Amino acid sequence: MTTTEVTVRLRPDQLEAFHRDGFLALDALTTRTEVESLRGVYDRLFERPGGYAEGDQLALSRPDEAGRETLPQILNPEKYAPELADTLARTNALAIARQLLGPPADRAGDHAIMKPPGHGVATPWHQDEAYWSSAHSHSALSVWMPLQEATLDNGCMWFVPGSHDHDVRPHRLVDPDAHALEVAEDVPTTEAVACPIPAGGCTIHHCRTLHYAGPNHSAAPRRALIMGFQLPPRPLAEARDFFWQRPEWHS
């Protein structure tokens, strides 16, 4: 359990903006000192990634023609770097989640996504809830924090405002050799909003908000830590048809 005191609280206008748009961007979730420390932890994780046997090391896109990873991801990174479990960033993220979802909100799992310099590919348009149980109603959000400036050039986040007010859209597997879904219908990208933010800032998005992150054209890795929070999922009277989760759709 964290012993760090909360230093970030959302204003009423920020709460209103999140509930209206389904996302929010903040310039600072933690301190520069902590960002620098977390960057070192993060780089060590991806230099010597663990979790293959546990299923925590996944590729969100297939390797490029040179055999290089293009979009590696580590689930539950605090299992392999325990120092990630007690940070100011996490303390503030949980406090924000409880402002937005309600006091019962709690952790729902973290992950880290790295876009290698020059050849890191785009994260396709998707809704997080498309990955989850179709038999439950979910009220959840993700806090996405870059460990360097997130820009249009290196793959900052994009969102479609108001898309969280709709149900989960049909999705499909991006590639049989990857662990990523994408929306299987047209996305209103002309409405999309880019969210470049400083290192240690964050974006916050609802689990049904359509979102995307561009490729990394820069000369440095694009590092992002993602912290998830949720209310307890509620069983539905009838499960939705998330057909893209069925094994035959992955062959």
Side-chain angles (χ1 to χ4, degrees):
M1 178 178 293
T2 181
T3 57
T4 310
E5 293 186 6
V6 175
T7 61
V8 177
R9 293 282 187 183
L10 298 183
R11 304 184 307 267
D13 62 304
Q14 292 173 316
L15 295 170
E16 180 183 0
F18 177 86
H19 291 298
R20 180 190 66 233
D21 298 331
F23 71 94
L24 185 69
L26 304 179
D27 283 342
L29 184 67
T30 187
T31 65
R32 291 184 179 180
T33 299
E34 183 165 89
V35 169
E36 291 175 3
S37 174
L38 291 175
R39 190 183 301 130
V41 174
Y42 182 103
D43 286 347
R44 289 191 293 273
L45 273 174
F46 280 93
E47 286 168 2
R48 297 182 178 179
Y52 283 101
E54 298 87 346
D56 288 338
Q57 174 73 11
L58 302 171
L60 295 176
S61 181
R62 65 165 55 200
D64 66 9
E65 294 179 355
R68 299 175 299 182
E69 288 190 285
T70 55
L71 196 56
Q73 172 182 237
I74 297 175
L75 304 180
N76 307 305
E78 70 281 0
K79 286 171 55 177
Y80 313 101
E83 55 268 53
L84 295 175
D86 189 4
T87 63
L88 177 60
R90 183 189 296 281
T91 296
N92 285 333
L94 176 59
I96 288 169
R98 288 177 172 168
Q99 279 189 275
L100 292 169
L101 299 176
D106 210 343
R107 291 189 55 207
D110 298 352
H111 58 287
I113 299 176
M114 194 267 285
K115 296 199 173 184
H119 66 277
V121 300
T123 308
W125 284 102
H126 69 283
Q127 296 163 291
D128 293 337
E129 193 171 342
Y131 286 92
W132 302 347
S133 168
S134 63
H136 291 80
S137 173
H138 301 276
S139 183
L141 56 79
S142 292
V143 178
W144 186 96
M145 184 177 72
L147 299 181
Q148 74 298 299
E149 184 181 10
T151 67
L152 294 173
D153 190 49
N154 71 6
C156 70
M157 294 285 277
W158 293 71
F159 303 98
V160 175
S163 53
H164 66 304
D165 286 334
H166 304 281
D167 204 353
V168 177
R169 301 184 182 210
H171 282 64
R172 62 190 170 212
L173 197 65
V174 173
D175 187 284
D177 297 323
H179 296 81
L181 296 172
E182 64 180 350
V183 174
E185 57 185 32
D186 290 340
V187 173
T189 54
T190 56
E191 303 172 16
V193 176
C195 292
I197 50 174
C202 71
T203 60
I204 308 154
H205 67 269
H206 188 274
C207 61
R208 286 192 298 275
T209 303
L210 285 166
H211 59 287
Y212 157 94
N216 182 7
H217 296 300
S218 77
R222 196 228 60 184
R223 311 166 180 90
L225 283 173
I226 302 96
M227 295 169 276
F229 303 92
Q230 67 175 357
L231 297 177
R234 292 178 297 150
L236 295 170
E238 182 177 353
R240 293 166 290 176
D241 183 15
F242 285 5
F243 58 84
W244 53 89
Q245 295 183 357
R246 296 200 292 264
E248 61 267 29
W249 281 81
H250 296 186
S251 57

